[in-house]
Amino acid sequence: MEHFTIATVAEKSPDFRRVLWTGEHTQLVIMTIPPGGEIGEEVHEDIDQILTFVSGTGEARVAGEKKEVVSGDLVVVPAGTKHNFVNTGPNPLVLYTVYGPPEHADQAVHRTKEEADAAEAAGQDEPPTA
C-alpha cells in the first residue's frame, strides 16, 4: 500500500515537479510554483488532470476561463483542454495533481520549470508504456 499525508508531503517539496507514484492508469505528482511563476500553457490530448491546491494563491486558466484558486480548491482539466496555472501571490503555490493516464516519467524530479521543460524537450520525461 502507498500512503501519503499529501498536503504535508507537498508542502515539504521545494521542487517544481516531483512524481510521487505511477500506476498503470494514473499518476500522482506534487508541484511547487514560485511567486510569479506558472506551470505553462499546455494541452494534454489524451490525459485528464485533476489538480488540488494545498497552499498559496493562483489563477486557473482553463478553456479560456480564469478563476482564482486557493488552498482546498480542486480544478478538473479534461483531456484536450488548454490550461495554465499561475502563482499570483507572494508565497509558493503548492498543489498535487493526478494524471490519467500517466504524463511524466516514473519518479521524475524537476527542481525548476526550466529543468522540466528541458527534460521534456529532450524526450527524458516520457511516461512509462504498458
Side-chain angles (χ1 to χ4, degrees), residues 22-25 101-102 126-130:
T22 302
E24 185 176 348
H25 303 288
E126 297 300 316
T129 56

Side-chain angles (χ1 to χ4, degrees), residues 25 43-49 77-81 83 99-103:
H25 303 288
V43 175
H44 305 299
E45 290 298 337
D46 300 315
I47 297 171
D48 291 324
Q49 188 174 6
V77 180
T81 304
H83 60 282
Y99 294 97
E103 166 68 3

Side-chain angles (χ1 to χ4, degrees), residues 56-129:
T57 57
E59 183 176 79
R61 301 175 182 175
V62 180
E65 294 183 46
K66 295 180 181 180
K67 180 118 179 132
E68 181 183 11
V69 291
V70 297
S71 177
D73 286 353
L74 182 145
V75 176
V76 175
V77 180
T81 304
K82 186 184 292 186
H83 60 282
N84 190 9
F85 296 88
V86 179
N87 184 340
T88 58
N91 300 311
L93 179 61
V94 179
L95 63 105
Y96 62 93
T97 183
V98 176
Y99 294 97
E103 166 68 3
H104 299 287
D106 189 27
Q107 299 183 11
V109 176
H110 301 117
R111 288 172 184 27
T112 64
K113 179 176 180 350
E114 293 75 22
E115 187 178 302
D117 290 346
E120 288 178 18
Q124 299 170 342
D125 188 31
E126 297 300 316
T129 56

Side-chain angles (χ1 to χ4, degrees), residues 3-54:
H3 175 270
F4 301 98
T5 305
I6 194 65
T8 302
V9 171
E11 280 284 348
K12 288 182 179 179
S13 176
D15 300 312
F16 175 74
R17 179 168 52 224
R18 177 180 291 271
V19 175
L20 289 183
W21 179 84
T22 302
E24 185 176 348
H25 303 288
T26 57
Q27 184 174 63
L28 175 62
V29 176
I30 54 177
M31 298 186 74
T32 300
I33 314 304
E38 63 182 79
I39 289 175
E41 189 172 82
E42 58 188 359
V43 175
H44 305 299
E45 290 298 337
D46 300 315
I47 297 171
D48 291 324
Q49 188 174 6
I50 300 169
L51 302 95
T52 304
F53 296 85
V54 174

